[in-house]
Every structure is written in C-alpha cells, then in structure tokens.
Amino acid sequence: NAGVTQTPKFQVLKTGQSMTLQCAQDMNHNSMYWYRQDPGMGLRLIYYSASEGTTDKGEVPNGYNVSRLNKREFSLRLESAAPSQTSVYFCASSESSPGNIQYFGAGTRLSVL
Amino acid sequence: GNSVTQMEGPVTLSEEAFLTINCTYTATGYPSLFWYVQYPGEGLQLLLKATKADDKGSNKGFEATYRKETTSFHLEKGSVQVSDSAVYFCALSVNDYKLSFGAGTTVTVRA
C-alpha cells in the first residue's frame, strides 16, 4: 500500500536554482495539498488542488508554483530557490468533503544554501 | 479566521505517566477536529478525530473530547510508552477539506 509518495526525500540547492518536488497518490483522491513544516509553526498550506484541473493558493504561496498533472500527481516547483524556502515539504491527499482525513507522504527535506 | 493553539513543548515524561496536551481553537463555523501524530522521520498520520460537540475520538489509548463550550479538544493518554514519543498536532477544518494546524507539541517518553 503505497499511499502518498514524494520524491526526492532530500535535496540541497543553491540560491537561485530551480527544482520540482513530485507527489503521487494511489487512493483515487480528488484533493491534494502541499504544506511546508517549519519549527514552531506547524504545517502551513502552500497550494492545494480541490480536483483534477484546479489549483488554488494557500496560506504561503509566494515563490512556488504547482501543477496538477492528473488525478494522481501534484507537483510543486520552486523557480528560484531562496534560503527562506529551507523547510520540510509534505504532500497530502484526501476526499473532497469536510471532515475527511488527509493522508501524508513522508516528506522532502530541502536545504537552500 | 480559523486557528488552533496548542500547548508548547517539549514535553518529557517517564513511561506509564499521564499525558495531556491542551488544544483550543477559534473557527468561523462548526469545525471538525483532529489530532495528527508525526513519528520521527515520517509524515503525519491521523490519530483521532471528532466531528460534532461532545464526540469523543479515541485510538491507541489516546482520547480527546470535542468541547464546544470551551472550544477545546485536549488530547489525553493514561499511561504512555516510549513508542508514543512523537510530535502531536491539533488541527481543524470548517466547511471544507482544508486543515488549519497548531504549532505541534513534541513529546518524549523515557524508559
């Protein structure tokens, strides 16, 4: 049971470099999410996709872009990485109803030097 | 807006001790409430949830009761084990499927 799979698990970038974080789910969920986790701040929503073909900004979208490639895949792109984007990134998925459980990937630990 | 406040950690306990993590919330509507747990090196996973007032969520010996009058959802376990060492997040969702998280509480249980 794969659930939510994120790649890569670790990444080190230099300031100004770009990269794409990949996320795929095999639970046939409509909704997918990208969060960042920083010490003492919990998880903050970057972008989400309520269904295939739609994406919306979350709490902290600046410096990021997303693509909902199909129902399974939701990628997060950093066009020009900054040290402030050093964080742990989590992808999650859920059904699209209030109170539904979100299922999380294992995370990507990103350092921007 | 919607927000969650949970007690700051870290919390360090001995095995078999009683654990309480306080969580209070503000919400613009009628929220569903959750506790998620993050074990070292892993993503978050649901521990328990409650969707209406006075509901009690329970799992793995943990319990939390949805208290609308005090806007609280405190997490409790009567006898913790070393394997309960983790970060615990309180969260809510209101009228949609997006979650608002608290800052997280790190719990360490010593043998």
Side-chain angles (χ1 to χ4, degrees), chain A residues 31 33 35 37 40-43 45 48 50 90 94-107, chain B residues 32 34 36 38 41-46 49 51 87 89 93-104:
Chain A
S31 300
Y33 316 81
Y35 295 91
Q37 182 182 26
M41 303 188 74
L43 275 74
L45 185 65
Y48 67 100
F90 288 100
S94 76
E95 291 298 343
S96 301
S97 299
N100 272 320
I101 300 165
Q102 290 190 15
Y103 295 85
F104 286 79
Chain B
S32 295
F34 305 83
Y36 280 82
Q38 183 181 29
E42 299 183 9
L44 280 71
Q45 57 185 274
L46 180 74
K49 64 179 274 190
T51 57
V87 183
F89 293 93
S93 69
V94 182
N95 296 332
D96 62 19
Y97 33 85
K98 293 183 288 182
L99 286 170
S100 297
F101 285 92

mmCIF file of all heavy atoms in Angstrom, chain A residues 31 33 35 37 40-43 45 48 50 90 94-107, chain B residues 32 34 36 38 41-46 49 51 87 89 93-104:
data_model
loop_
_atom_site.group_PDB
_atom_site.id
_atom_site.type_symbol
_atom_site.label_atom_id
_atom_site.label_comp_id
_atom_site.label_asym_id
_atom_site.label_seq_id
_atom_site.Cartn_x
_atom_site.Cartn_y
_atom_site.Cartn_z
ATOM 1 N N SER A 31 -8.674 15.510 -3.908
ATOM 2 C CA SER A 31 -7.959 16.690 -3.416
ATOM 3 C C SER A 31 -6.529 16.359 -3.021
ATOM 4 O O SER A 31 -6.258 15.311 -2.432
ATOM 5 C CB SER A 31 -8.685 17.271 -2.199
ATOM 6 O OG SER A 31 -9.996 17.658 -2.546
ATOM 7 N N TYR A 33 -2.646 18.419 -1.651
ATOM 8 C CA TYR A 33 -2.157 19.589 -0.920
ATOM 9 C C TYR A 33 -0.632 19.570 -0.850
ATOM 10 O O TYR A 33 -0.029 18.498 -0.799
ATOM 11 C CB TYR A 33 -2.670 19.576 0.532
ATOM 12 C CG TYR A 33 -4.126 19.227 0.684
ATOM 13 C CD1 TYR A 33 -4.541 17.902 0.670
ATOM 14 C CD2 TYR A 33 -5.084 20.225 0.831
ATOM 15 C CE1 TYR A 33 -5.877 17.580 0.802
ATOM 16 C CE2 TYR A 33 -6.427 19.903 0.968
ATOM 17 C CZ TYR A 33 -6.810 18.576 0.953
ATOM 18 O OH TYR A 33 -8.136 18.254 1.081
ATOM 19 N N TYR A 35 2.215 21.306 1.802
ATOM 20 C CA TYR A 35 2.485 22.037 3.033
ATOM 21 C C TYR A 35 3.995 22.193 3.204
ATOM 22 O O TYR A 35 4.773 21.394 2.710
ATOM 23 C CB TYR A 35 1.993 21.263 4.256
ATOM 24 C CG TYR A 35 0.514 21.056 4.368
ATOM 25 C CD1 TYR A 35 -0.099 19.930 3.828
ATOM 26 C CD2 TYR A 35 -0.279 21.968 5.060
ATOM 27 C CE1 TYR A 35 -1.463 19.730 3.959
ATOM 28 C CE2 TYR A 35 -1.647 21.770 5.196
ATOM 29 C CZ TYR A 35 -2.227 20.641 4.647
ATOM 30 O OH TYR A 35 -3.577 20.447 4.786
ATOM 31 N N GLN A 37 6.668 22.604 6.593
ATOM 32 C CA GLN A 37 6.749 22.481 8.045
ATOM 33 C C GLN A 37 8.014 23.152 8.532
ATOM 34 O O GLN A 37 9.123 22.773 8.143
ATOM 35 C CB GLN A 37 6.754 21.013 8.474
ATOM 36 C CG GLN A 37 6.796 20.821 9.984
ATOM 37 C CD GLN A 37 6.843 19.368 10.393
ATOM 38 O OE1 GLN A 37 7.301 18.502 9.651
ATOM 39 N NE2 GLN A 37 6.358 19.077 11.588
ATOM 40 N N GLY A 40 8.230 25.195 15.213
ATOM 41 C CA GLY A 40 7.375 26.093 15.983
ATOM 42 C C GLY A 40 6.213 26.696 15.219
ATOM 43 O O GLY A 40 5.484 27.522 15.774
ATOM 44 N N MET A 41 6.034 26.294 13.949
ATOM 45 C CA MET A 41 4.977 26.911 13.147
ATOM 46 C C MET A 41 3.979 25.908 12.606
ATOM 47 O O MET A 41 3.100 26.256 11.825
ATOM 48 C CB MET A 41 5.590 27.707 11.994
ATOM 49 C CG MET A 41 6.558 28.768 12.472
ATOM 50 S SD MET A 41 7.120 29.844 11.175
ATOM 51 C CE MET A 41 5.664 30.847 10.916
ATOM 52 N N GLY A 42 4.096 24.673 12.997
ATOM 53 C CA GLY A 42 3.166 23.682 12.487
ATOM 54 C C GLY A 42 3.312 23.506 10.992
ATOM 55 O O GLY A 42 4.382 23.741 10.419
ATOM 56 N N LEU A 43 2.245 23.093 10.341
ATOM 57 C CA LEU A 43 2.228 22.958 8.881
ATOM 58 C C LEU A 43 1.442 24.115 8.296
ATOM 59 O O LEU A 43 0.348 24.438 8.772
ATOM 60 C CB LEU A 43 1.571 21.638 8.466
ATOM 61 C CG LEU A 43 2.484 20.430 8.437
ATOM 62 C CD1 LEU A 43 2.817 19.961 9.838
ATOM 63 C CD2 LEU A 43 1.860 19.297 7.634
ATOM 64 N N LEU A 45 -0.190 25.661 4.688
ATOM 65 C CA LEU A 45 -0.616 25.253 3.360
ATOM 66 C C LEU A 45 -0.021 26.179 2.302
ATOM 67 O O LEU A 45 -0.190 27.403 2.373
ATOM 68 C CB LEU A 45 -2.146 25.267 3.292
ATOM 69 C CG LEU A 45 -2.783 24.769 2.014
ATOM 70 C CD1 LEU A 45 -2.497 23.283 1.799
ATOM 71 C CD2 LEU A 45 -4.291 25.016 2.069
ATOM 72 N N TYR A 48 -3.186 24.085 -2.897
ATOM 73 C CA TYR A 48 -3.980 22.882 -2.895
ATOM 74 C C TYR A 48 -4.718 22.756 -4.221
ATOM 75 O O TYR A 48 -4.835 23.722 -4.990
ATOM 76 C CB TYR A 48 -4.954 22.850 -1.714
ATOM 77 C CG TYR A 48 -6.043 23.889 -1.758
ATOM 78 C CD1 TYR A 48 -7.328 23.570 -2.186
ATOM 79 C CD2 TYR A 48 -5.793 25.188 -1.344
ATOM 80 C CE1 TYR A 48 -8.324 24.521 -2.204
ATOM 81 C CE2 TYR A 48 -6.776 26.144 -1.357
ATOM 82 C CZ TYR A 48 -8.042 25.815 -1.780
ATOM 83 O OH TYR A 48 -9.025 26.769 -1.804
ATOM 84 N N ALA A 50 -8.333 21.132 -5.407
ATOM 85 C CA ALA A 50 -9.588 20.514 -4.974
ATOM 86 C C ALA A 50 -9.958 19.334 -5.870
ATOM 87 O O ALA A 50 -10.579 18.368 -5.406
ATOM 88 C CB ALA A 50 -10.704 21.546 -4.971
ATOM 89 N N PHE A 90 5.618 18.626 2.746
ATOM 90 C CA PHE A 90 4.744 17.464 2.771
ATOM 91 C C PHE A 90 3.643 17.617 1.743
ATOM 92 O O PHE A 90 3.030 18.674 1.607
ATOM 93 C CB PHE A 90 4.102 17.288 4.151
ATOM 94 C CG PHE A 90 5.063 16.811 5.197
ATOM 95 C CD1 PHE A 90 5.627 17.702 6.091
ATOM 96 C CD2 PHE A 90 5.395 15.466 5.287
ATOM 97 C CE1 PHE A 90 6.518 17.272 7.061
ATOM 98 C CE2 PHE A 90 6.290 15.025 6.260
ATOM 99 C CZ PHE A 90 6.845 15.928 7.138
ATOM 100 N N SER A 94 -6.764 13.775 -0.002
ATOM 101 C CA SER A 94 -7.984 13.437 0.732
ATOM 102 C C SER A 94 -9.153 13.412 -0.236
ATOM 103 O O SER A 94 -9.076 13.910 -1.361
ATOM 104 C CB SER A 94 -8.265 14.462 1.830
ATOM 105 O OG SER A 94 -8.781 15.662 1.296
ATOM 106 N N GLU A 95 -10.266 12.879 0.255
ATOM 107 C CA GLU A 95 -11.519 13.065 -0.452
ATOM 108 C C GLU A 95 -11.961 14.517 -0.251
ATOM 109 O O GLU A 95 -11.504 15.191 0.664
ATOM 110 C CB GLU A 95 -12.591 12.109 0.091
ATOM 111 C CG GLU A 95 -12.333 10.665 -0.240
ATOM 112 C CD GLU A 95 -12.339 10.413 -1.745
ATOM 113 O OE1 GLU A 95 -12.851 11.255 -2.510
ATOM 114 O OE2 GLU A 95 -11.819 9.364 -2.155
ATOM 115 N N SER A 96 -12.868 14.970 -1.072
ATOM 116 C CA SER A 96 -13.247 16.390 -1.066
ATOM 117 C C SER A 96 -14.512 16.631 -0.274
ATOM 118 O O SER A 96 -15.487 17.167 -0.802
ATOM 119 C CB SER A 96 -13.417 16.889 -2.498
ATOM 120 O OG SER A 96 -12.242 16.723 -3.214
ATOM 121 N N SER A 97 -14.511 16.252 0.981
ATOM 122 C CA SER A 97 -15.659 16.532 1.844
ATOM 123 C C SER A 97 -15.160 17.030 3.178
ATOM 124 O O SER A 97 -14.122 16.583 3.653
ATOM 125 C CB SER A 97 -16.498 15.269 2.054
ATOM 126 O OG SER A 97 -16.988 14.800 0.833
ATOM 127 N N PRO A 98 -15.909 17.932 3.825
ATOM 128 C CA PRO A 98 -15.484 18.428 5.138
ATOM 129 C C PRO A 98 -15.323 17.292 6.128
ATOM 130 O O PRO A 98 -16.117 16.350 6.146
ATOM 131 C CB PRO A 98 -16.635 19.354 5.537
ATOM 132 C CG PRO A 98 -17.252 19.768 4.252
ATOM 133 C CD PRO A 98 -17.129 18.578 3.346
ATOM 134 N N GLY A 99 -14.266 17.387 6.927
ATOM 135 C CA GLY A 99 -14.038 16.380 7.951
ATOM 136 C C GLY A 99 -13.325 15.156 7.467
ATOM 137 O O GLY A 99 -13.092 14.236 8.263
ATOM 138 N N ASN A 100 -12.962 15.125 6.171
ATOM 139 C CA ASN A 100 -12.254 13.947 5.678
ATOM 140 C C ASN A 100 -10.795 13.954 6.098
ATOM 141 O O ASN A 100 -10.182 14.999 6.275
ATOM 142 C CB ASN A 100 -12.353 13.852 4.170
ATOM 143 C CG ASN A 100 -13.592 13.093 3.746
ATOM 144 O OD1 ASN A 100 -13.962 12.100 4.345
ATOM 145 N ND2 ASN A 100 -14.238 13.585 2.708
ATOM 146 N N ILE A 101 -10.243 12.759 6.229
ATOM 147 C CA ILE A 101 -8.875 12.587 6.689
ATOM 148 C C ILE A 101 -7.918 12.898 5.549
ATOM 149 O O ILE A 101 -8.146 12.501 4.408
ATOM 150 C CB ILE A 101 -8.665 11.149 7.161
ATOM 151 C CG1 ILE A 101 -9.621 10.823 8.308
ATOM 152 C CG2 ILE A 101 -7.214 10.909 7.575
ATOM 153 C CD1 ILE A 101 -9.738 9.348 8.588
ATOM 154 N N GLN A 102 -6.838 13.600 5.873
ATOM 155 C CA GLN A 102 -5.763 13.793 4.913
ATOM 156 C C GLN A 102 -4.677 12.747 5.164
ATOM 157 O O GLN A 102 -4.343 12.450 6.309
ATOM 158 C CB GLN A 102 -5.181 15.206 5.022
ATOM 159 C CG GLN A 102 -6.143 16.262 4.517
ATOM 160 C CD GLN A 102 -5.517 17.638 4.396
ATOM 161 O OE1 GLN A 102 -4.298 17.792 4.423
ATOM 162 N NE2 GLN A 102 -6.355 18.642 4.249
ATOM 163 N N TYR A 103 -4.125 12.233 4.071
ATOM 164 C CA TYR A 103 -3.071 11.234 4.124
ATOM 165 C C TYR A 103 -1.793 11.875 3.605
ATOM 166 O O TYR A 103 -1.792 12.473 2.534
ATOM 167 C CB TYR A 103 -3.442 10.009 3.279
ATOM 168 C CG TYR A 103 -4.633 9.278 3.808
ATOM 169 C CD1 TYR A 103 -5.925 9.677 3.480
ATOM 170 C CD2 TYR A 103 -4.481 8.192 4.661
ATOM 171 C CE1 TYR A 103 -7.028 9.031 3.987
ATOM 172 C CE2 TYR A 103 -5.580 7.522 5.170
ATOM 173 C CZ TYR A 103 -6.848 7.952 4.831
ATOM 174 O OH TYR A 103 -7.945 7.291 5.349
ATOM 175 N N PHE A 104 -0.724 11.716 4.378
ATOM 176 C CA PHE A 104 0.504 12.446 4.107
ATOM 177 C C PHE A 104 1.602 11.536 3.562
ATOM 178 O O PHE A 104 1.707 10.352 3.932
ATOM 179 C CB PHE A 104 1.023 13.103 5.382
ATOM 180 C CG PHE A 104 0.228 14.304 5.794
ATOM 181 C CD1 PHE A 104 -0.977 14.167 6.447
ATOM 182 C CD2 PHE A 104 0.693 15.578 5.512
ATOM 183 C CE1 PHE A 104 -1.723 15.284 6.823
ATOM 184 C CE2 PHE A 104 -0.034 16.693 5.876
ATOM 185 C CZ PHE A 104 -1.245 16.553 6.530
ATOM 186 N N GLY A 105 2.436 12.135 2.713
ATOM 187 C CA GLY A 105 3.673 11.491 2.322
ATOM 188 C C GLY A 105 4.724 11.634 3.408
ATOM 189 O O GLY A 105 4.500 12.289 4.434
ATOM 190 N N ALA A 106 5.892 11.038 3.155
ATOM 191 C CA ALA A 106 6.957 11.017 4.167
ATOM 192 C C ALA A 106 7.759 12.310 4.203
ATOM 193 O O ALA A 106 8.567 12.516 5.116
ATOM 194 C CB ALA A 106 7.882 9.838 3.911
ATOM 195 N N GLY A 107 7.570 13.172 3.230
ATOM 196 C CA GLY A 107 8.215 14.481 3.261
ATOM 197 C C GLY A 107 9.467 14.577 2.419
ATOM 198 O O GLY A 107 10.118 13.578 2.114
ATOM 199 N N SER B 32 -14.688 20.431 12.230
ATOM 200 C CA SER B 32 -14.268 19.076 12.598
ATOM 201 C C SER B 32 -12.881 19.205 13.210
ATOM 202 O O SER B 32 -12.077 20.035 12.775
ATOM 203 C CB SER B 32 -14.211 18.175 11.369
ATOM 204 O OG SER B 32 -15.491 17.999 10.818
ATOM 205 N N PHE B 34 -9.226 17.367 14.797
ATOM 206 C CA PHE B 34 -8.334 16.232 14.551
ATOM 207 C C PHE B 34 -7.103 16.326 15.454
ATOM 208 O O PHE B 34 -6.662 17.417 15.822
ATOM 209 C CB PHE B 34 -7.809 16.260 13.105
ATOM 210 C CG PHE B 34 -8.868 16.309 12.045
ATOM 211 C CD1 PHE B 34 -9.451 17.519 11.686
ATOM 212 C CD2 PHE B 34 -9.264 15.157 11.389
ATOM 213 C CE1 PHE B 34 -10.430 17.574 10.702
ATOM 214 C CE2 PHE B 34 -10.233 15.198 10.395
ATOM 215 C CZ PHE B 34 -10.812 16.414 10.054
ATOM 216 N N TYR B 36 -3.292 14.758 14.778
ATOM 217 C CA TYR B 36 -2.363 14.023 13.931
ATOM 218 C C TYR B 36 -1.077 13.785 14.723
ATOM 219 O O TYR B 36 -0.696 14.601 15.577
ATOM 220 C CB TYR B 36 -2.027 14.812 12.669
ATOM 221 C CG TYR B 36 -3.075 14.725 11.585
ATOM 222 C CD1 TYR B 36 -4.203 15.539 11.623
ATOM 223 C CD2 TYR B 36 -2.939 13.836 10.522
ATOM 224 C CE1 TYR B 36 -5.170 15.455 10.631
ATOM 225 C CE2 TYR B 36 -3.899 13.748 9.520
ATOM 226 C CZ TYR B 36 -5.009 14.564 9.592
ATOM 227 O OH TYR B 36 -5.963 14.471 8.602
ATOM 228 N N GLN B 38 3.143 12.667 14.315
ATOM 229 C CA GLN B 38 4.293 12.533 13.412
ATOM 230 C C GLN B 38 5.414 11.837 14.165
ATOM 231 O O GLN B 38 6.025 12.424 15.062
ATOM 232 C CB GLN B 38 4.750 13.908 12.918
ATOM 233 C CG GLN B 38 5.889 13.851 11.917
ATOM 234 C CD GLN B 38 6.334 15.231 11.473
ATOM 235 O OE1 GLN B 38 6.231 16.211 12.202
ATOM 236 N NE2 GLN B 38 6.849 15.329 10.256
ATOM 237 N N GLY B 41 11.042 11.076 11.528
ATOM 238 C CA GLY B 41 11.386 10.751 10.152
ATOM 239 C C GLY B 41 10.220 10.391 9.260
ATOM 240 O O GLY B 41 10.429 9.964 8.115
ATOM 241 N N GLU B 42 9.000 10.555 9.745
ATOM 242 C CA GLU B 42 7.827 10.157 8.964
ATOM 243 C C GLU B 42 6.912 11.343 8.690
ATOM 244 O O GLU B 42 7.071 12.424 9.277
ATOM 245 C CB GLU B 42 7.049 9.066 9.698
ATOM 246 C CG GLU B 42 7.847 7.796 9.933
ATOM 247 C CD GLU B 42 7.014 6.720 10.593
ATOM 248 O OE1 GLU B 42 5.784 6.885 10.707
ATOM 249 O OE2 GLU B 42 7.602 5.702 10.997
ATOM 250 N N GLY B 43 5.932 11.119 7.837
ATOM 251 C CA GLY B 43 4.889 12.111 7.629
ATOM 252 C C GLY B 43 3.837 12.017 8.722
ATOM 253 O O GLY B 43 3.908 11.185 9.615
ATOM 254 N N LEU B 44 2.861 12.911 8.647
ATOM 255 C CA LEU B 44 1.798 12.924 9.648
ATOM 256 C C LEU B 44 0.803 11.811 9.351
ATOM 257 O O LEU B 44 0.556 11.450 8.195
ATOM 258 C CB LEU B 44 1.050 14.263 9.617
ATOM 259 C CG LEU B 44 1.693 15.428 10.327
ATOM 260 C CD1 LEU B 44 2.917 15.923 9.597
ATOM 261 C CD2 LEU B 44 0.681 16.551 10.507
ATOM 262 N N GLN B 45 0.198 11.304 10.408
ATOM 263 C CA GLN B 45 -0.891 10.347 10.256
ATOM 264 C C GLN B 45 -1.969 10.676 11.267
ATOM 265 O O GLN B 45 -1.684 11.182 12.357
ATOM 266 C CB GLN B 45 -0.394 8.909 10.426
ATOM 267 C CG GLN B 45 0.286 8.605 11.742
ATOM 268 C CD GLN B 45 0.851 7.195 11.762
ATOM 269 O OE1 GLN B 45 0.162 6.245 12.094
ATOM 270 N NE2 GLN B 45 2.125 7.065 11.407
ATOM 271 N N LEU B 46 -3.197 10.386 10.892
ATOM 272 C CA LEU B 46 -4.311 10.696 11.778
ATOM 273 C C LEU B 46 -4.242 9.839 13.027
ATOM 274 O O LEU B 46 -4.074 8.612 12.947
ATOM 275 C CB LEU B 46 -5.639 10.447 11.062
ATOM 276 C CG LEU B 46 -6.859 10.741 11.919
ATOM 277 C CD1 LEU B 46 -7.048 12.251 12.056
ATOM 278 C CD2 LEU B 46 -8.117 10.101 11.331
ATOM 279 N N LYS B 49 -10.183 11.749 15.542
ATOM 280 C CA LYS B 49 -10.958 12.889 15.081
ATOM 281 C C LYS B 49 -12.314 12.917 15.770
ATOM 282 O O LYS B 49 -12.766 11.905 16.324
ATOM 283 C CB LYS B 49 -11.142 12.838 13.569
ATOM 284 C CG LYS B 49 -11.956 11.657 13.085
ATOM 285 C CD LYS B 49 -12.129 11.661 11.566
ATOM 286 C CE LYS B 49 -13.289 12.490 11.142
ATOM 287 N NZ LYS B 49 -13.627 12.315 9.701
ATOM 288 N N THR B 51 -16.249 15.051 14.996
ATOM 289 C CA THR B 51 -16.909 15.939 14.046
ATOM 290 C C THR B 51 -18.054 16.744 14.642
ATOM 291 O O THR B 51 -18.574 17.643 13.970
ATOM 292 C CB THR B 51 -17.433 15.141 12.842
ATOM 293 O OG1 THR B 51 -18.308 14.113 13.325
ATOM 294 C CG2 THR B 51 -16.292 14.508 12.076
ATOM 295 N N VAL B 87 5.729 13.956 17.578
ATOM 296 C CA VAL B 87 5.177 15.309 17.577
ATOM 297 C C VAL B 87 3.679 15.192 17.321
ATOM 298 O O VAL B 87 3.257 14.500 16.388
ATOM 299 C CB VAL B 87 5.831 16.208 16.509
ATOM 300 C CG1 VAL B 87 5.269 17.624 16.593
ATOM 301 C CG2 VAL B 87 7.341 16.217 16.669
ATOM 302 N N PHE B 89 -0.004 17.085 16.589
ATOM 303 C CA PHE B 89 -0.595 18.289 16.011
ATOM 304 C C PHE B 89 -2.110 18.254 16.179
ATOM 305 O O PHE B 89 -2.757 17.281 15.781
ATOM 306 C CB PHE B 89 -0.291 18.389 14.516
ATOM 307 C CG PHE B 89 1.147 18.605 14.181
ATOM 308 C CD1 PHE B 89 1.983 17.530 13.923
ATOM 309 C CD2 PHE B 89 1.668 19.884 14.102
ATOM 310 C CE1 PHE B 89 3.319 17.725 13.602
ATOM 311 C CE2 PHE B 89 2.999 20.093 13.780
ATOM 312 C CZ PHE B 89 3.817 19.017 13.525
ATOM 313 N N SER B 93 -10.895 21.637 10.501
ATOM 314 C CA SER B 93 -11.391 22.035 9.183
ATOM 315 C C SER B 93 -12.827 22.509 9.349
ATOM 316 O O SER B 93 -13.585 21.966 10.154
ATOM 317 C CB SER B 93 -11.305 20.896 8.170
ATOM 318 O OG SER B 93 -12.227 19.875 8.480
ATOM 319 N N VAL B 94 -13.175 23.552 8.585
ATOM 320 C CA VAL B 94 -14.503 24.161 8.678
ATOM 321 C C VAL B 94 -15.093 24.268 7.291
ATOM 322 O O VAL B 94 -14.539 24.942 6.436
ATOM 323 C CB VAL B 94 -14.429 25.568 9.303
ATOM 324 C CG1 VAL B 94 -15.839 26.149 9.432
ATOM 325 C CG2 VAL B 94 -13.736 25.536 10.648
ATOM 326 N N ASN B 95 -16.182 23.596 7.058
ATOM 327 C CA ASN B 95 -16.952 23.730 5.817
ATOM 328 C C ASN B 95 -16.201 23.363 4.550
ATOM 329 O O ASN B 95 -16.726 23.525 3.465
ATOM 330 C CB ASN B 95 -17.489 25.159 5.662
ATOM 331 C CG ASN B 95 -18.466 25.504 6.757
ATOM 332 O OD1 ASN B 95 -19.122 24.633 7.304
ATOM 333 N ND2 ASN B 95 -18.538 26.772 7.104
ATOM 334 N N ASP B 96 -14.970 22.952 4.662
ATOM 335 C CA ASP B 96 -14.247 22.460 3.502
ATOM 336 C C ASP B 96 -13.239 21.429 3.983
ATOM 337 O O ASP B 96 -13.313 20.972 5.104
ATOM 338 C CB ASP B 96 -13.567 23.603 2.725
ATOM 339 C CG ASP B 96 -12.522 24.348 3.543
ATOM 340 O OD1 ASP B 96 -12.037 23.807 4.556
ATOM 341 O OD2 ASP B 96 -12.180 25.472 3.177
ATOM 342 N N TYR B 97 -12.329 21.080 3.138
ATOM 343 C CA TYR B 97 -11.439 19.969 3.449
ATOM 344 C C TYR B 97 -10.035 20.430 3.771
ATOM 345 O O TYR B 97 -9.153 19.635 3.970
ATOM 346 C CB TYR B 97 -11.432 19.029 2.236
ATOM 347 C CG TYR B 97 -11.602 19.778 0.953
ATOM 348 C CD1 TYR B 97 -10.516 20.332 0.312
ATOM 349 C CD2 TYR B 97 -12.873 19.987 0.430
ATOM 350 C CE1 TYR B 97 -10.692 21.067 -0.839
ATOM 351 C CE2 TYR B 97 -13.047 20.727 -0.726
ATOM 352 C CZ TYR B 97 -11.962 21.261 -1.363
ATOM 353 O OH TYR B 97 -12.134 21.988 -2.493
ATOM 354 N N LYS B 98 -9.829 21.758 3.834
ATOM 355 C CA LYS B 98 -8.510 22.245 4.188
ATOM 356 C C LYS B 98 -8.336 22.204 5.696
ATOM 357 O O LYS B 98 -9.276 22.423 6.445
ATOM 358 C CB LYS B 98 -8.325 23.678 3.681
ATOM 359 C CG LYS B 98 -8.303 23.786 2.171
ATOM 360 C CD LYS B 98 -8.055 25.210 1.738
ATOM 361 C CE LYS B 98 -9.268 26.068 2.006
ATOM 362 N NZ LYS B 98 -9.079 27.464 1.559
ATOM 363 N N LEU B 99 -7.100 21.922 6.123
ATOM 364 C CA LEU B 99 -6.796 21.837 7.544
ATOM 365 C C LEU B 99 -6.004 23.050 8.008
ATOM 366 O O LEU B 99 -5.114 23.521 7.315
ATOM 367 C CB LEU B 99 -5.963 20.582 7.830
ATOM 368 C CG LEU B 99 -6.684 19.237 7.781
ATOM 369 C CD1 LEU B 99 -5.679 18.103 7.852
ATOM 370 C CD2 LEU B 99 -7.682 19.130 8.911
ATOM 371 N N SER B 100 -6.326 23.516 9.220
ATOM 372 C CA SER B 100 -5.504 24.503 9.918
ATOM 373 C C SER B 100 -4.861 23.792 11.096
ATOM 374 O O SER B 100 -5.555 23.179 11.915
ATOM 375 C CB SER B 100 -6.359 25.668 10.420
ATOM 376 O OG SER B 100 -6.948 26.368 9.344
ATOM 377 N N PHE B 101 -3.533 23.881 11.192
ATOM 378 C CA PHE B 101 -2.781 23.134 12.199
ATOM 379 C C PHE B 101 -2.300 24.030 13.328
ATOM 380 O O PHE B 101 -1.980 25.210 13.112
ATOM 381 C CB PHE B 101 -1.538 22.497 11.565
ATOM 382 C CG PHE B 101 -1.814 21.302 10.717
ATOM 383 C CD1 PHE B 101 -2.031 21.447 9.358
ATOM 384 C CD2 PHE B 101 -1.847 20.034 11.258
ATOM 385 C CE1 PHE B 101 -2.282 20.347 8.561
ATOM 386 C CE2 PHE B 101 -2.091 18.927 10.473
ATOM 387 C CZ PHE B 101 -2.311 19.086 9.120
ATOM 388 N N GLY B 102 -2.190 23.444 14.510
ATOM 389 C CA GLY B 102 -1.445 24.067 15.582
ATOM 390 C C GLY B 102 0.048 23.903 15.344
ATOM 391 O O GLY B 102 0.470 23.251 14.379
ATOM 392 N N ALA B 103 0.845 24.484 16.231
ATOM 393 C CA ALA B 103 2.297 24.508 16.040
ATOM 394 C C ALA B 103 2.962 23.166 16.302
ATOM 395 O O ALA B 103 4.113 22.965 15.930
ATOM 396 C CB ALA B 103 2.917 25.582 16.935
ATOM 397 N N GLY B 104 2.252 22.253 16.959
ATOM 398 C CA GLY B 104 2.832 20.948 17.262
ATOM 399 C C GLY B 104 3.440 20.915 18.655
ATOM 400 O O GLY B 104 3.987 21.915 19.131
#
